[in-house]
Amino acid sequence: MRIQIPQSGDLLLEVFLERKDPDMSVIIRVSPNMAAAELTICVAGIRNISLSKEMFWTTFEVIENGELERPMNYKENILATVLEWSMLPDPGAAYLLVKPFYSRNNVGVIFKDLTFTILFRDLKIDDLSLEYVINGHV
């Protein structure tokens, strides 16, 4: 008996919303042509999130169990990015995360509605850099 595997190139991928938590994940069928913007829209739609100009959501590539995170360009190919993870020392430590993106252009709008603490709750600061600033070496 011969098993036929479809050659469509689609991949089922777990994507997290706002944080890496099993309760905050969705499974998305990623086509070879899917861009980061399309993935963001799909995840937002599944989780009933209204996308707006005031709150800009985007897809982030997260590697090294959250130590490195970068917003993906809206045109960036999802499948190509995921396939590159095979070259990492621990490919299982990489994942995609859809969350609000706070840029220089929308921080002013956010400060009107949120407190400083909430805005920067995930901000990581290198202790040496902070000590350098506190001691007046800036």
PDB file of all heavy atoms in Angstrom, residues 5 7-8 14 16-17 33 42-43 47 62 71 92-93 97 104 110-111 115 123 134 137:
ATOM      1  N   ILE A   5       1.315  11.743  -0.055  1.00  0.00           N
ATOM      2  CA  ILE A   5       1.418  12.961   0.755  1.00  0.00           C
ATOM      3  C   ILE A   5       1.207  14.152  -0.157  1.00  0.00           C
ATOM      4  O   ILE A   5       1.870  14.279  -1.178  1.00  0.00           O
ATOM      5  CB  ILE A   5       2.805  13.047   1.430  1.00  0.00           C
ATOM      6  CG1 ILE A   5       3.009  11.820   2.325  1.00  0.00           C
ATOM      7  CG2 ILE A   5       2.943  14.329   2.218  1.00  0.00           C
ATOM      8  CD1 ILE A   5       4.402  11.693   2.874  1.00  0.00           C
ATOM      9  N   GLN A   7       1.581  17.589  -1.877  1.00  0.00           N
ATOM     10  CA  GLN A   7       2.782  18.399  -2.072  1.00  0.00           C
ATOM     11  C   GLN A   7       2.477  19.896  -2.012  1.00  0.00           C
ATOM     12  O   GLN A   7       3.155  20.702  -2.618  1.00  0.00           O
ATOM     13  CB  GLN A   7       3.423  18.045  -3.421  1.00  0.00           C
ATOM     14  CG  GLN A   7       3.890  16.612  -3.515  1.00  0.00           C
ATOM     15  CD  GLN A   7       4.963  16.275  -2.503  1.00  0.00           C
ATOM     16  OE1 GLN A   7       5.890  17.046  -2.296  1.00  0.00           O
ATOM     17  NE2 GLN A   7       4.824  15.142  -1.849  1.00  0.00           N
ATOM     18  N   SER A   8       1.444  20.257  -1.299  1.00  0.00           N
ATOM     19  CA  SER A   8       1.040  21.661  -1.261  1.00  0.00           C
ATOM     20  C   SER A   8       2.067  22.537  -0.566  1.00  0.00           C
ATOM     21  O   SER A   8       2.159  23.723  -0.827  1.00  0.00           O
ATOM     22  CB  SER A   8      -0.319  21.812  -0.573  1.00  0.00           C
ATOM     23  OG  SER A   8      -0.204  21.441   0.782  1.00  0.00           O
ATOM     24  N   GLU A  14       2.099  26.181  15.376  1.00  0.00           N
ATOM     25  CA  GLU A  14       1.548  26.764  16.602  1.00  0.00           C
ATOM     26  C   GLU A  14       2.078  28.187  16.728  1.00  0.00           C
ATOM     27  O   GLU A  14       3.283  28.418  16.679  1.00  0.00           O
ATOM     28  CB  GLU A  14       1.952  25.937  17.819  1.00  0.00           C
ATOM     29  CG  GLU A  14       1.349  26.438  19.113  1.00  0.00           C
ATOM     30  CD  GLU A  14       1.676  25.545  20.297  1.00  0.00           C
ATOM     31  OE1 GLU A  14       2.764  24.933  20.309  1.00  0.00           O
ATOM     32  OE2 GLU A  14       0.839  25.461  21.210  1.00  0.00           O
ATOM     33  N   PHE A  16       1.685  31.797  19.095  1.00  0.00           N
ATOM     34  CA  PHE A  16       1.231  32.279  20.393  1.00  0.00           C
ATOM     35  C   PHE A  16       0.741  33.720  20.296  1.00  0.00           C
ATOM     36  O   PHE A  16       1.229  34.498  19.487  1.00  0.00           O
ATOM     37  CB  PHE A  16       2.365  32.176  21.414  1.00  0.00           C
ATOM     38  CG  PHE A  16       2.773  30.753  21.679  1.00  0.00           C
ATOM     39  CD1 PHE A  16       3.822  30.183  20.980  1.00  0.00           C
ATOM     40  CD2 PHE A  16       2.083  29.978  22.597  1.00  0.00           C
ATOM     41  CE1 PHE A  16       4.192  28.860  21.203  1.00  0.00           C
ATOM     42  CE2 PHE A  16       2.440  28.662  22.821  1.00  0.00           C
ATOM     43  CZ  PHE A  16       3.490  28.107  22.127  1.00  0.00           C
ATOM     44  N   LEU A  17      -0.200  34.037  21.154  1.00  0.00           N
ATOM     45  CA  LEU A  17      -0.775  35.380  21.205  1.00  0.00           C
ATOM     46  C   LEU A  17      -0.337  36.054  22.502  1.00  0.00           C
ATOM     47  O   LEU A  17      -0.669  35.585  23.592  1.00  0.00           O
ATOM     48  CB  LEU A  17      -2.300  35.304  21.131  1.00  0.00           C
ATOM     49  CG  LEU A  17      -3.034  36.633  21.152  1.00  0.00           C
ATOM     50  CD1 LEU A  17      -2.769  37.405  19.866  1.00  0.00           C
ATOM     51  CD2 LEU A  17      -4.519  36.427  21.324  1.00  0.00           C
ATOM     52  N   ASN A  33       3.467  30.885   0.672  1.00  0.00           N
ATOM     53  CA  ASN A  33       3.472  32.314   0.326  1.00  0.00           C
ATOM     54  C   ASN A  33       3.012  33.225   1.456  1.00  0.00           C
ATOM     55  O   ASN A  33       2.966  34.437   1.284  1.00  0.00           O
ATOM     56  CB  ASN A  33       2.562  32.558  -0.882  1.00  0.00           C
ATOM     57  CG  ASN A  33       3.009  31.755  -2.082  1.00  0.00           C
ATOM     58  OD1 ASN A  33       4.171  31.387  -2.198  1.00  0.00           O
ATOM     59  ND2 ASN A  33       2.084  31.474  -2.975  1.00  0.00           N
ATOM     60  N   CYS A  42      -4.742  36.531  10.565  1.00  0.00           N
ATOM     61  CA  CYS A  42      -5.377  35.234  10.840  1.00  0.00           C
ATOM     62  C   CYS A  42      -5.491  34.985  12.343  1.00  0.00           C
ATOM     63  O   CYS A  42      -6.560  34.603  12.831  1.00  0.00           O
ATOM     64  CB  CYS A  42      -4.570  34.102  10.208  1.00  0.00           C
ATOM     65  SG  CYS A  42      -4.722  33.983   8.430  1.00  0.00           S
ATOM     66  N   VAL A  43      -4.404  35.194  13.069  1.00  0.00           N
ATOM     67  CA  VAL A  43      -4.417  34.957  14.515  1.00  0.00           C
ATOM     68  C   VAL A  43      -5.391  35.916  15.199  1.00  0.00           C
ATOM     69  O   VAL A  43      -6.174  35.507  16.060  1.00  0.00           O
ATOM     70  CB  VAL A  43      -2.998  35.091  15.109  1.00  0.00           C
ATOM     71  CG1 VAL A  43      -3.034  35.058  16.630  1.00  0.00           C
ATOM     72  CG2 VAL A  43      -2.094  33.989  14.575  1.00  0.00           C
ATOM     73  N   ARG A  47      -8.844  34.823  17.350  1.00  0.00           N
ATOM     74  CA  ARG A  47      -8.994  35.225  18.755  1.00  0.00           C
ATOM     75  C   ARG A  47      -9.911  36.437  18.940  1.00  0.00           C
ATOM     76  O   ARG A  47      -9.976  37.020  20.006  1.00  0.00           O
ATOM     77  CB  ARG A  47      -7.623  35.520  19.362  1.00  0.00           C
ATOM     78  CG  ARG A  47      -6.775  34.292  19.577  1.00  0.00           C
ATOM     79  CD  ARG A  47      -7.448  33.378  20.589  1.00  0.00           C
ATOM     80  NE  ARG A  47      -6.578  32.265  20.920  1.00  0.00           N
ATOM     81  CZ  ARG A  47      -6.508  31.713  22.096  1.00  0.00           C
ATOM     82  NH1 ARG A  47      -7.240  32.160  23.071  1.00  0.00           N
ATOM     83  NH2 ARG A  47      -5.711  30.702  22.301  1.00  0.00           N
ATOM     84  N   VAL A  62      10.655  34.725  17.789  1.00  0.00           N
ATOM     85  CA  VAL A  62      11.282  34.624  19.098  1.00  0.00           C
ATOM     86  C   VAL A  62      12.182  33.395  19.079  1.00  0.00           C
ATOM     87  O   VAL A  62      11.745  32.300  18.703  1.00  0.00           O
ATOM     88  CB  VAL A  62      10.223  34.487  20.217  1.00  0.00           C
ATOM     89  CG1 VAL A  62      10.888  34.435  21.581  1.00  0.00           C
ATOM     90  CG2 VAL A  62       9.222  35.637  20.141  1.00  0.00           C
ATOM     91  N   PRO A  71      10.495  41.992  15.665  1.00  0.00           N
ATOM     92  CA  PRO A  71       9.275  42.101  14.868  1.00  0.00           C
ATOM     93  C   PRO A  71       9.594  41.747  13.420  1.00  0.00           C
ATOM     94  O   PRO A  71      10.633  42.152  12.884  1.00  0.00           O
ATOM     95  CB  PRO A  71       8.882  43.571  15.006  1.00  0.00           C
ATOM     96  CG  PRO A  71      10.149  44.271  15.372  1.00  0.00           C
ATOM     97  CD  PRO A  71      11.005  43.288  16.089  1.00  0.00           C
ATOM     98  N   GLY A  92      13.749  23.872  18.727  1.00  0.00           N
ATOM     99  CA  GLY A  92      12.514  23.847  19.499  1.00  0.00           C
ATOM    100  C   GLY A  92      12.335  25.062  20.399  1.00  0.00           C
ATOM    101  O   GLY A  92      11.267  25.274  20.966  1.00  0.00           O
ATOM    102  N   ALA A  93      13.384  25.864  20.546  1.00  0.00           N
ATOM    103  CA  ALA A  93      13.317  27.051  21.400  1.00  0.00           C
ATOM    104  C   ALA A  93      12.863  28.276  20.620  1.00  0.00           C
ATOM    105  O   ALA A  93      12.858  29.379  21.156  1.00  0.00           O
ATOM    106  CB  ALA A  93      14.686  27.309  22.037  1.00  0.00           C
ATOM    107  N   LEU A  97       5.162  34.743  17.713  1.00  0.00           N
ATOM    108  CA  LEU A  97       4.343  35.406  18.711  1.00  0.00           C
ATOM    109  C   LEU A  97       3.657  36.599  18.067  1.00  0.00           C
ATOM    110  O   LEU A  97       4.317  37.410  17.418  1.00  0.00           O
ATOM    111  CB  LEU A  97       5.254  35.869  19.855  1.00  0.00           C
ATOM    112  CG  LEU A  97       4.670  36.558  21.048  1.00  0.00           C
ATOM    113  CD1 LEU A  97       3.852  35.564  21.868  1.00  0.00           C
ATOM    114  CD2 LEU A  97       5.789  37.120  21.906  1.00  0.00           C
ATOM    115  N   ARG A 104       8.079  53.970  17.804  1.00  0.00           N
ATOM    116  CA  ARG A 104       8.225  55.396  18.066  1.00  0.00           C
ATOM    117  C   ARG A 104       6.990  56.172  17.594  1.00  0.00           C
ATOM    118  O   ARG A 104       6.580  57.146  18.199  1.00  0.00           O
ATOM    119  CB  ARG A 104       9.479  55.907  17.355  1.00  0.00           C
ATOM    120  CG  ARG A 104       9.800  57.345  17.648  1.00  0.00           C
ATOM    121  CD  ARG A 104      11.028  57.760  16.908  1.00  0.00           C
ATOM    122  NE  ARG A 104      10.656  57.948  15.512  1.00  0.00           N
ATOM    123  CZ  ARG A 104      11.496  57.930  14.505  1.00  0.00           C
ATOM    124  NH1 ARG A 104      12.761  57.708  14.710  1.00  0.00           N
ATOM    125  NH2 ARG A 104      11.087  58.104  13.272  1.00  0.00           N
ATOM    126  N   ILE A 110      -0.222  55.432  22.989  1.00  0.00           N
ATOM    127  CA  ILE A 110      -0.281  54.439  24.051  1.00  0.00           C
ATOM    128  C   ILE A 110      -0.131  55.096  25.419  1.00  0.00           C
ATOM    129  O   ILE A 110      -0.818  54.736  26.367  1.00  0.00           O
ATOM    130  CB  ILE A 110       0.807  53.365  23.829  1.00  0.00           C
ATOM    131  CG1 ILE A 110       0.471  52.582  22.564  1.00  0.00           C
ATOM    132  CG2 ILE A 110       0.905  52.430  25.018  1.00  0.00           C
ATOM    133  CD1 ILE A 110       1.604  51.812  21.998  1.00  0.00           C
ATOM    134  N   PHE A 111       0.767  56.081  25.545  1.00  0.00           N
ATOM    135  CA  PHE A 111       0.962  56.743  26.823  1.00  0.00           C
ATOM    136  C   PHE A 111      -0.301  57.436  27.305  1.00  0.00           C
ATOM    137  O   PHE A 111      -0.501  57.607  28.500  1.00  0.00           O
ATOM    138  CB  PHE A 111       2.109  57.754  26.759  1.00  0.00           C
ATOM    139  CG  PHE A 111       3.445  57.164  27.089  1.00  0.00           C
ATOM    140  CD1 PHE A 111       4.476  57.216  26.177  1.00  0.00           C
ATOM    141  CD2 PHE A 111       3.666  56.542  28.298  1.00  0.00           C
ATOM    142  CE1 PHE A 111       5.702  56.673  26.473  1.00  0.00           C
ATOM    143  CE2 PHE A 111       4.884  55.980  28.607  1.00  0.00           C
ATOM    144  CZ  PHE A 111       5.913  56.048  27.693  1.00  0.00           C
ATOM    145  N   THR A 115      -0.311  53.033  31.556  1.00  0.00           N
ATOM    146  CA  THR A 115       0.736  53.551  32.428  1.00  0.00           C
ATOM    147  C   THR A 115       2.093  53.097  31.930  1.00  0.00           C
ATOM    148  O   THR A 115       2.217  52.133  31.181  1.00  0.00           O
ATOM    149  CB  THR A 115       0.542  53.052  33.868  1.00  0.00           C
ATOM    150  OG1 THR A 115       0.736  51.647  33.877  1.00  0.00           O
ATOM    151  CG2 THR A 115      -0.823  53.425  34.413  1.00  0.00           C
ATOM    152  N   LEU A 123      10.098  44.804  29.131  1.00  0.00           N
ATOM    153  CA  LEU A 123      11.380  45.399  28.785  1.00  0.00           C
ATOM    154  C   LEU A 123      12.494  44.756  29.596  1.00  0.00           C
ATOM    155  O   LEU A 123      12.410  44.664  30.816  1.00  0.00           O
ATOM    156  CB  LEU A 123      11.345  46.912  29.056  1.00  0.00           C
ATOM    157  CG  LEU A 123      12.593  47.702  28.712  1.00  0.00           C
ATOM    158  CD1 LEU A 123      12.824  47.666  27.203  1.00  0.00           C
ATOM    159  CD2 LEU A 123      12.451  49.131  29.179  1.00  0.00           C
ATOM    160  N   ILE A 134      22.870  54.802  36.069  1.00  0.00           N
ATOM    161  CA  ILE A 134      22.584  55.289  37.410  1.00  0.00           C
ATOM    162  C   ILE A 134      23.795  56.042  37.975  1.00  0.00           C
ATOM    163  O   ILE A 134      23.643  57.048  38.659  1.00  0.00           O
ATOM    164  CB  ILE A 134      22.191  54.121  38.333  1.00  0.00           C
ATOM    165  CG1 ILE A 134      20.823  53.595  37.913  1.00  0.00           C
ATOM    166  CG2 ILE A 134      22.184  54.529  39.798  1.00  0.00           C
ATOM    167  CD1 ILE A 134      20.411  52.336  38.609  1.00  0.00           C
ATOM    168  N   HIS A 137      27.224  57.966  34.079  1.00  0.00           N
ATOM    169  CA  HIS A 137      28.218  57.833  33.012  1.00  0.00           C
ATOM    170  C   HIS A 137      27.624  58.009  31.627  1.00  0.00           C
ATOM    171  O   HIS A 137      28.205  57.578  30.661  1.00  0.00           O
ATOM    172  CB  HIS A 137      28.902  56.472  33.103  1.00  0.00           C
ATOM    173  CG  HIS A 137      29.663  56.262  34.362  1.00  0.00           C
ATOM    174  ND1 HIS A 137      30.832  56.913  34.645  1.00  0.00           N
ATOM    175  CD2 HIS A 137      29.380  55.481  35.442  1.00  0.00           C
ATOM    176  CE1 HIS A 137      31.269  56.529  35.836  1.00  0.00           C
ATOM    177  NE2 HIS A 137      30.397  55.671  36.344  1.00  0.00           N
TER     178      HIS A 137
END
